[in-house]
Amino acid sequence: MNHIFSFKGIIGVLERFFALEMNRASAALSYYLIMTLFPMLICVQWILSALGEDIVAFLENFSEIIPAGALAIIEDYLVYSGSQSNGLLIIGVSAAIITGASAFRMLSNTLREIFESRGGNDAVRFAFSFVYAIAFLVAVYILGITVVAGRWLINLIEPILETTGFIKLLDIANLWNWFRFIILNIVSSAMLYIVYYCNAWRSPYHINVLPGAVFGSLVFTVVSGFFSWFISSSVNYSAIYGSLASVIILMLWLYLFSNIILIGALINKEISENKNEKSKLHGDVHRFIKKKL
């Protein structure tokens, strides 16, 4: 793991990034993600409404990492598609699964190239892409329930903490801030782990996908927070780009997300290759010593 933080490890990841043209793959992935985002929002809106929650208020919980321009266009879309009809839900679920499966297939092809995975049945991978799209919607549902339940629990214990005086030691607002981002990172790390694992198991290398999954989740949270702050404190983009400003910000945000996912995979590959080289070197040394003896 220390190798990846070394100068050689960083250079190795960057060389792979440009050699494999990951910036082009990130642009393609961000296109599929933006096609998936809006029908998925219809599903999330229905889920949160069933829980008695307002999706706009729910998204405001993560306003620190969602750029203002991106959040604005999402909220406008949700107001426009505010109907809770079963027909709209069916359309949203269907479109989210179809576009989500396409995004997964595109990402899968890129990850298999990174991990040098070979073999496998194309029909099985095609079918599995729909399974993953459905699993993604389920994960979003779980995230929504967890965040809502966590906020409800904190509101429940707040009077108890106030009466005991413990509230002086534990700031409820800070507790909620930590809770929501911890849950978000756990869920996103788990999803990235599954994506990496499913595309690395046919690789000739023994690839540990956990470091890249944790890296991708944590770095996306940090980078999104910085990007959101940068956008909000910079010039008025709407004056430059007009009505397209929010769309451009949203696409840039998804492009950053796509790059981070692929860099996480490159980190997994770099760590695994370094371990394989060390194991081979130790094996050669052991065989040399054994031969001499």
Side-chain angles (χ1 to χ4, degrees):
M1 185 67 177
N2 292 333
H3 166 75
I4 203 62
F5 296 109
S6 67
F7 179 77
K8 181 182 178 182
I10 295 173
I11 293 298
V13 171
L14 291 176
E15 286 179 346
R16 292 180 191 276
F17 183 87
F18 292 108
L20 296 174
E21 297 183 337
M22 290 293 101
N23 53 342
R24 181 181 298 180
S26 298
L29 180 58
S30 62
Y31 166 78
Y32 282 106
L33 288 177
I34 202 168
M35 294 294 290
T36 305
L37 175 64
F38 292 103
M40 186 192 72
L41 286 172
I42 296 176
C43 305
V44 175
Q45 187 176 32
W46 186 89
I47 291 169
L48 292 177
S49 296
L51 296 173
E53 288 287 316
D54 177 40
I55 186 172
V56 174
F58 178 82
L59 291 175
E60 290 288 347
N61 289 316
F62 303 100
S63 58
E64 293 90 345
I65 62 172
I66 303 178
L71 190 59
I73 194 172
I74 289 173
E75 291 178 350
D76 289 344
Y77 174 79
L78 292 171
V79 171
Y80 178 76
S81 61
S83 173
Q84 296 297 310
S85 66
N86 292 332
L88 183 62
L89 175 63
I90 293 173
I91 293 173
V93 170
S94 302
I97 292 174
I98 293 171
T99 56
S102 299
F104 179 80
R105 288 195 297 273
M106 190 277 152
L107 176 60
S108 177
N109 291 335
T110 306
L111 293 178
R112 283 169 60 83
E113 181 181 2
I114 292 173
F115 298 139
E116 300 180 31
S117 299
R118 298 291 182 267
N121 188 292
D122 292 337
V124 172
R125 290 204 303 271
F126 181 82
F128 185 77
S129 66
F130 290 92
V131 174
Y132 186 82
I134 295 172
F136 179 76
L137 291 177
V138 172
V140 171
Y141 179 70
I142 294 173
L143 174 64
I145 291 178
T146 306
V147 171
V148 171
R151 190 171 57 200
W152 173 82
L153 178 62
I154 290 174
N155 291 334
L156 180 66
I157 65 175
E158 183 176 4
I160 301 175
L161 296 176
E162 287 178 342
T163 57
T164 59
F166 189 65
I167 190 68
K168 297 179 181 179
L169 301 177
L170 183 61
D171 187 346
I172 288 294
N174 289 335
L175 178 62
W176 170 243
N177 286 336
W178 280 106
F179 176 82
R180 56 190 170 134
F181 288 116
I182 288 173
I183 294 300
L184 177 65
N185 279 282
I186 290 175
V187 173
S188 57
S189 294
M191 295 188 68
L192 282 177
Y193 180 90
I194 294 171
V195 171
Y196 291 152
Y197 180 82
C198 290
N199 291 283
W201 71 283
R202 285 186 175 273
S203 172
Y205 304 95
H206 176 69
I207 296 179
N208 179 13
V209 298
L210 183 60
V214 175
F215 168 89
S217 177
L218 293 178
V219 170
F220 176 67
T221 301
V222 174
V223 170
S224 289
F226 176 79
F227 182 67
S228 179
W229 167 83
F230 177 78
I231 291 297
S232 61
S233 61
S234 298
V235 298
N236 188 356
Y237 283 89
S238 60
I240 300 175
Y241 297 107
S243 59
L244 292 176
S246 296
V247 177
I248 292 172
I249 292 172
L250 176 60
M251 294 190 70
L252 280 173
W253 184 54
L254 293 176
Y255 179 70
L256 287 173
F257 175 62
S258 302
N259 275 287
I260 291 170
I261 291 177
L262 299 182
I263 290 174
L266 292 171
I267 288 175
N268 290 332
K269 177 67 178 299
E270 184 70 22
I271 293 174
S272 301
E273 276 199 350
N274 182 63
K275 287 184 178 179
N276 288 336
E277 289 176 1
K278 287 184 177 180
S279 298
K280 183 179 179 181
L281 179 61
H282 291 162
D284 292 342
V285 171
H286 178 74
R287 284 190 294 271
F288 176 78
I289 295 175
K290 187 176 180 180
K291 184 178 180 181
K292 290 297 183 180
L293 295 176

